[in-house]
Amino acid sequence: MDSLNRPRAASHGGTGFLPPTVTNIEDTGLPSLWLQDLALKIIYSQGYLTGFRIAEELALPFAGVTDDILSELKKEKLIEVKSAQQTGLGSSSYLYAMTGKGNIRAQEALMRSQYAGAAPVPIETYNNAVRNQAQGRVVVTSRSMRQLMSQLVLSEETFQRLGPALNSGASIFLYGPPGNGKTSIARSFGNLVMSQNMYIPFALFVDGQVVKMYDSVNHQLVKEDSGNERATGSLKTGIRRDPRWVKIHRPFIVVGGELTLAGLDLVFDDTHKFYEAPFQVKANGGILLIDDFGRQQVRPRDLLNRWIVPLENRVDFLTLHTGRKIEIPFDVLVVFSTNLPPKDLVDEAFLRRLRHKIEIGDPSYESYREIFRRVAQSKKVEYNDQGLAYLLQEWYIKHNRKLRASHPRDICDQILDISQYQSSEPVMTREMIDLAAQAYFVDI
């Protein structure tokens, strides 16, 4: 990826944005009482904690922020110091515990919300960060696209349409028969996007509510220099940026048949009383691939209608359980990938709103040969043109069967299975091809 022609990042690993330093409670943008409740919930749920450990859990610096929070809690007799170790680290090494009065207040706070993690970031701060980091996206040229797609065999026409679609950063509709590489193309896009980094917060703060943002399944952390580590690594040496943010690879998130309309809005946990950010918010700054589009549990048209405003205006509107709408940037390249005919999924009005529509058709015989040759080489199957000619004549032409880009991989796997069982070499003989094809193809 290093050889791709892309603009040099302005700073900070390609994000063009660095979360500013937090030196006092006011810098957090959060109410002091709300932070006190959060600290109480953390101590209540974990028991005795040092001041340094509380700062780690809050993802806030100790000096000037966490120590002020703890001072207020001590003043109100909500916590107490159980021991003061002589370590030279000052009050950050003190061991803190709840008082009876503190237990009551912590329980009241937990009834409102059981969130007890890193301090959130105000949504306005997050929105500005998304806009600032939108400028650092990768831009590809024809040359760099050839490097990016070098592992795929595509027609020149298809190839020349993919680059502008990726650069658009808007929306792509990939359609065509199954097994021809639509998902592989999207994943190649994802590999490119993930070669850059960005910052996201652990959580968002909206009208006193918490929206959990960072997701260890969908977000990949980037190791930072020692001076820019999260609170866990840099509180002792001084924070250079707001530790409520984490540095990640730009996200590439894949959703399939499990996607629902409800999953595209804020998901409120009635038990724990905080929100989970929807897929498209977690994908901000990167790519959201909707794979197998049309096979979701909701009607395709209903799902597509949900995307009209975000795709046109590049902003999304999410709904709190109170009914209040919040605006959030929509900096996502949405890739719809489907095996179904477009006329069965969308109407002309919606297709107009999709920036790029690209059909990924069946490979030509020459492309099929090149795919087979590459796959055989990678899987250590002995390739020969005579064997391929026999396969095409006997199992494709005679059966009027369509070529699919995925077939070489699957047929080579069959050859490997059979050769292993027979204790023979994986070679493309007529006998081996017949056995592989009989086991693989089914006439429908």
Side-chain angles (χ1 to χ4, degrees):
M1 290 294 178
D2 292 336
S3 60
L4 293 175
N5 297 335
R6 56 175 176 259
R8 291 188 178 274
S11 59
H12 316 305
T15 69
F17 164 81
L18 186 70
T21 304
V22 174
T23 58
N24 53 54
I25 290 176
E26 191 173 289
D27 288 342
T28 68
L30 303 174
S32 179
L33 286 174
W34 194 93
L35 284 171
Q36 290 173 28
D37 282 349
L38 181 60
L40 282 173
K41 287 188 286 185
I42 289 171
I43 302 170
Y44 180 85
S45 62
Q46 298 196 37
Y48 300 147
L49 292 174
T50 64
F52 176 70
R53 181 63 181 159
I54 294 168
E56 282 187 318
E57 293 296 318
L58 287 169
L60 290 171
F62 182 82
V65 185
T66 303
D67 57 349
D68 283 1
I69 295 170
L70 296 177
S71 294
E72 285 300 314
L73 293 176
K74 282 191 296 179
K75 189 185 300 182
E76 296 293 326
K77 301 190 184 319
L78 299 171
I79 61 172
E80 58 186 356
V81 176
K82 298 301 289 185
S83 66
Q85 301 173 7
Q86 300 300 315
T87 62
L89 296 175
S91 57
S92 67
S93 65
Y94 292 176
L95 196 62
Y96 295 88
M98 306 287 292
T99 64
K101 184 179 177 183
N103 281 331
I104 294 172
R105 180 163 157 186
Q107 290 166 4
E108 291 173 349
L110 285 165
M111 289 179 65
R112 292 190 293 272
S113 170
Q114 292 188 31
Y115 181 81
V121 168
I123 191 168
E124 297 83 4
T125 304
Y126 168 74
N127 288 352
N128 288 333
V130 172
R131 296 185 186 102
N132 287 338
Q133 295 182 100
Q135 307 305 315
R137 279 185 175 276
V138 173
V139 174
V140 297
T141 63
S142 178
R143 181 185 173 193
S144 57
M145 272 295 289
R146 291 196 186 280
Q147 295 171 333
L148 178 66
M149 298 289 176
S150 61
Q151 79 281 13
L152 300 175
V153 179
L154 301 168
S155 70
E156 187 64 20
E157 179 185 2
T158 300
F159 174 82
Q160 293 297 346
R161 296 177 65 187
L162 290 172
L166 177 58
N167 281 342
S168 75
S171 56
I172 305 174
F173 188 76
L174 299 177
Y175 65 99
N180 283 332
K182 293 183 294 298
T183 302
S184 296
I185 289 169
R187 290 190 181 278
S188 294
F189 288 172
N191 290 337
L192 176 64
V193 167
M194 291 175 69
S195 68
Q196 279 201 321
N197 308 323
M198 65 180 296
Y199 287 100
I200 64 167
F202 285 103
L204 304 178
F205 184 80
V206 188
D207 286 355
Q209 303 290 323
V210 174
V211 179
K212 190 179 174 188
M213 181 73 180
Y214 170 69
D215 176 356
S216 60
V217 174
N218 290 305
H219 296 137
Q220 293 187 23
L221 289 174
V222 175
K223 183 173 176 57
E224 297 187 68
D225 297 333
S226 58
N228 284 342
E229 292 286 352
R230 174 192 175 205
T232 54
S234 55
L235 280 169
K236 294 178 182 177
T237 58
I239 294 293
R240 295 185 185 176
R241 66 160 179 84
D242 187 340
R244 292 175 295 172
W245 298 72
V246 286
K247 193 175 186 179
I248 64 166
H249 295 290
R250 284 186 179 268
F252 173 64
I253 297 179
V254 182
V255 293
E258 76 278 11
L259 184 63
T260 63
L261 281 178
L264 296 176
D265 211 332
L266 291 171
V267 181
F268 185 69
D269 187 325
D270 289 316
T271 302
H272 298 100
K273 297 182 173 59
F274 60 85
Y275 295 89
E276 183 83 19
F279 291 118
Q280 73 273 19
V281 175
K282 291 180 180 180
N284 252 338
I287 294 177
L288 177 63
L289 168 60
I290 302 177
D291 210 6
D292 272 340
F293 178 63
R295 303 193 186 279
Q296 283 70 31
Q297 299 173 33
V298 296
R299 292 191 313 165
R301 283 179 173 80
D302 292 337
L303 204 53
L304 289 169
N305 286 335
R306 170 63 180 83
W307 294 98
I308 288 177
V309 171
L311 288 174
E312 281 197 339
N313 302 330
R314 310 307 291 169
V315 295
D316 200 3
F317 293 92
L318 306 177
T319 309
L320 297 171
H321 70 286
T322 59
R324 188 200 159 189
K325 295 276 188 182
I326 60 171
E327 182 178 317
I328 205 159
F330 189 80
D331 179 37
V332 185
L333 171 60
V334 184
V335 180
F336 299 92
S337 174
T338 183
N339 301 329
L340 303 177
K343 63 182 176 60
D344 295 343
L345 294 173
V346 295
D347 55 25
E348 186 180 349
F350 190 84
L351 278 175
R352 284 202 313 272
R353 293 178 168 90
L354 296 175
R355 183 80 65 87
H356 294 268
K357 284 79 71 174
I358 304 174
E359 181 177 12
I360 310 299
D362 295 331
S364 65
Y365 282 104
E366 189 57 38
S367 294
Y368 185 91
R369 175 185 177 276
E370 177 61 18
I371 295 169
F372 211 117
R373 187 190 63 77
R374 291 189 187 187
V375 171
Q377 182 179 30
S378 68
K379 292 182 176 291
K380 295 182 170 51
V381 172
E382 188 175 319
Y383 173 83
N384 64 78
D385 282 335
Q386 294 77 16
L388 182 63
Y390 176 79
L391 171 67
L392 292 172
Q393 179 63 39
E394 294 297 319
W395 290 96
Y396 284 92
I397 296 173
K398 283 188 177 181
H399 293 263
N400 196 27
R401 182 172 283 124
K402 300 286 188 182
L403 299 177
R404 296 284 191 262
S406 61
H407 287 177
R409 176 200 63 204
D410 298 337
I411 292 171
C412 283
D413 284 340
Q414 292 285 348
I415 291 174
L416 289 171
D417 292 341
I418 295 165
S419 65
Q420 185 179 41
Y421 176 72
Q422 294 181 346
S423 299
S424 61
E425 292 298 317
V427 181
M428 290 175 59
T429 62
R430 291 189 175 195
E431 294 74 21
M432 188 68 77
I433 287 172
D434 283 338
L435 288 171
Q438 286 166 2
Y440 180 62
F441 290 121
V442 177
D443 290 322
I444 299 177

